[in-house]
């Protein structure tokens, strides 16, 4: 049986649709602000693999709550990884493009130097480092710009804003790959399964949807597919001030995914399915 940390998030909701016999732990059952308790649960349940898709994901709020975010995004996966190493079971963990500063102008490979711009990215990077130190058989899957019919995400924000607005200013100098939570859940499942028989595939992998676009481009496709009349004005990030700075270049080089027989999913097809699920497809 596979054990999944998280039950209500975007990726964990999709994992629930995909994995019939897995055990999903909610915040009430496993609070990541108590890393030791998470470790104990793995020892008790003795799963065949662990997937961690729970995290502190509020990018701006993390600026004022870095300590809590570091426990949830850093210490907790670190403790999970130690137990997985001890039990000899694979550990699949989800990380983010926000571990990079995004200052270079090419797709970022998994071994590109990290340098997070904000607290969320710093705490996610802390998690990656603790997992590498604990050294279980593992895959750290860095993804970006996650959307789904579940939880909160940019697609749902755009649809909500379209109820009251006919013009929006959206940043056009941050470029990345929107990624459906469904495709991430599928990749995490494949990785967990393959690692069981191929421990040498341990490492950091990039997984994001194609093609790469700006947030403004992404917004325009959302409104077009939803049949909403909306003027989207391109603006520079400097005109959309937020507590946390975001990387300009979030483009991930995903070529090493081929080791798992995976490739970048096309987010445009996944977006259509999500809009249908939300009852928002034109
Ligand atoms: N969203 C995005 O755009 C991106 C996300 N990622 C990474 O992907 C992974 C999945 O993200 P996503 O599905 O979007 O996340 P969501 O924000 O949708 O869900 C986060 C999940 O974590 C749970 N959680 C938060 N705090 C705790 C806690 N203290 N104890 C237990 N559970 C907790 C939440 O539970 P509850 O419902 O109870 O709050 C929720 O189930 C994360 O690792 C994230 O860092 C990477 C790149 C982009
Ligand atoms: C609502 C809105 C946002 N924006 C900008 C702000 C930001 O730069 C961008 C996206 O906004 P969001 O708040 O959805 O972005 P954000 O919460 O930063 O999304 C990130 O979440 C974390 C968890 C990750 O790991 C990242 O990969 C990324 O998906 O769009 C506008 O320019 N205009 C708008 O009207
Ligand atoms: Mg957000």
């Amino acid at each position: 049986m596979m054990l999944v940390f998280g039950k209500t998030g975007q990726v964990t909701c999709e994992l629930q649709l995909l994995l019939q016999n897995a055990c999903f732990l909610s915040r009430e059952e496993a609070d990541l602000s108590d890393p030791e308790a998470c470790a104990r649960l793995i020892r008790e349940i003795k799963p065949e693999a662990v997937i961690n898709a729970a995290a502190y994901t509020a990018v701006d709020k993390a600026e004022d709550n870095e300590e809590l975010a570091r426990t949830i995004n850093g210490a907790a996966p670190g403790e999970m990884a130690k137990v997985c190493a001890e039990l000899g079971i694979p550990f699949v963990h989800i990380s983010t493009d926000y571990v990079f500063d995004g200052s270079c102008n090419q797709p970022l490979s998994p071994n590109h130097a990290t340098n997070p711009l904000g607290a969320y990215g710093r705490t996610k990077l802390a998690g990656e480092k603790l997992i590498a130190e604990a050294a279980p058989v593992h895959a750290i899957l860095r993804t970006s710009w996650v959307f789904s019919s579940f939880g909160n995400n940019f697609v749902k924000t755009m649809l909500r804003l379209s109820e009251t607005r006919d013009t929006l200013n959206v940043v056009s100098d941050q470029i990345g790959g929107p990624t459906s939570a469904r495709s991430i859940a599928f990749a995490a499942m494949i990785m967990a399964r393959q690692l069981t028989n191929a421990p040498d595939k341990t490492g950091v992998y990039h997984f994001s949807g194609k093609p790469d676009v700006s947030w403004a481009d992404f917004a325009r496709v959302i409104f077009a597919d939803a049949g909403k009349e909306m003027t989207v004005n391109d603006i520079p990030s400097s005109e959309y001030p937020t507590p946390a700075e975001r990387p300009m270049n979030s483009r991930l080089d995903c070529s090493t995914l081929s080791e798992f027989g995976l490739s970048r999913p096309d987010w445009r097809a996944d977006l259509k399915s999500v809009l249908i699920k939300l009852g928002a497809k034109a």
Side-chain angles (χ1 to χ4, degrees):
M1 194 209 18
M2 274 199 215
L3 178 62
V4 180
F5 283 91
K7 202 169 194 170
T8 50
Q10 300 190 76
V11 173
T12 49
C13 283
E14 295 290 353
L15 278 166
Q16 290 196 66
L17 297 175
L18 209 60
L19 300 171
Q20 259 73 43
N21 298 316
C23 171
F24 292 84
L25 298 174
S26 67
R27 182 196 288 263
E28 290 68 39
E29 291 158 317
D31 194 326
L32 272 68
S33 62
D34 185 352
E36 270 307 317
C38 297
R40 256 193 325 272
L41 280 160
I42 302 174
R43 273 195 207 94
E44 279 166 29
I45 297 169
K46 295 192 180 58
E48 32 186 90
V50 174
I51 300 177
N52 177 36
Y56 188 105
T57 56
V59 175
D60 288 319
K61 264 175 70 186
E63 294 298 315
D64 290 326
N65 295 281
E66 186 158 356
E67 204 181 328
L68 174 62
R70 189 172 289 270
T71 304
I72 295 170
N73 293 345
E79 291 306 308
M80 293 173 197
K82 281 189 202 164
V83 186
C84 290
E86 193 182 299
L87 299 178
I89 56 172
F91 183 49
V92 174
H93 174 78
I94 320 290
S95 194
T96 174
D97 55 320
Y98 283 18
V99 297
F100 296 112
D101 62 22
S103 60
C104 84
N105 208 11
Q106 295 132 257
L108 300 147
S109 68
N111 56 18
H112 192 95
T114 53
N115 182 31
L117 297 171
Y120 165 72
R122 279 192 294 273
T123 62
K124 292 293 289 184
L125 183 59
E128 291 189 7
K129 288 186 169 160
L130 290 170
I131 294 166
E133 266 171 43
V137 170
H138 71 271
I140 293 170
L141 198 162
R142 289 196 194 120
T143 187
S144 58
W145 301 20
V146 180
F147 66 94
S148 70
S149 60
F150 304 107
N152 298 313
N153 56 65
F154 187 78
V155 173
K156 290 170 82 174
T157 304
M158 291 301 112
L159 293 175
R160 192 173 63 244
L161 289 171
S162 72
E163 314 258 300
T164 52
R165 306 278 295 273
D166 55 15
T167 306
L168 279 181
N169 297 332
V170 183
V171 301
S172 58
D173 53 5
Q174 296 170 28
I175 314 290
T179 314
S180 72
R182 193 164 77 122
S183 66
I184 298 167
F186 181 76
M189 177 189 75
I190 295 289
M191 288 178 168
R193 282 191 189 151
Q194 289 190 24
L195 283 169
T196 308
N197 299 316
D200 53 308
K201 290 183 182 175
T202 287
V204 179
Y205 293 87
H206 284 176
F207 182 83
S208 66
K210 66 175 183 190
D212 294 316
V213 284
S214 70
W215 287 109
D217 294 332
F218 188 27
R220 278 186 280 267
V221 177
I222 296 166
F223 295 125
D225 283 359
K228 303 272 190 185
E229 291 283 335
M230 178 72 82
T231 305
V232 175
N233 298 317
D234 286 355
I235 54 162
S237 300
S238 56
E239 284 176 31
Y240 197 89
T242 47
E245 192 185 340
R246 273 88 170 151
M248 298 279 185
N249 178 24
S250 280
R251 288 185 294 150
L252 300 179
D253 176 343
C254 301
S255 47
T256 60
L257 281 176
S258 58
E259 288 191 37
F260 290 94
L262 295 166
S263 55
R264 296 180 74 181
D266 192 320
W267 60 262
R268 294 167 300 190
D270 290 347
L271 174 64
K272 289 186 170 65
S273 320
V274 165
L275 292 174
I276 290 170
K277 275 197 177 182
L278 292 170
K281 178 82 176 68

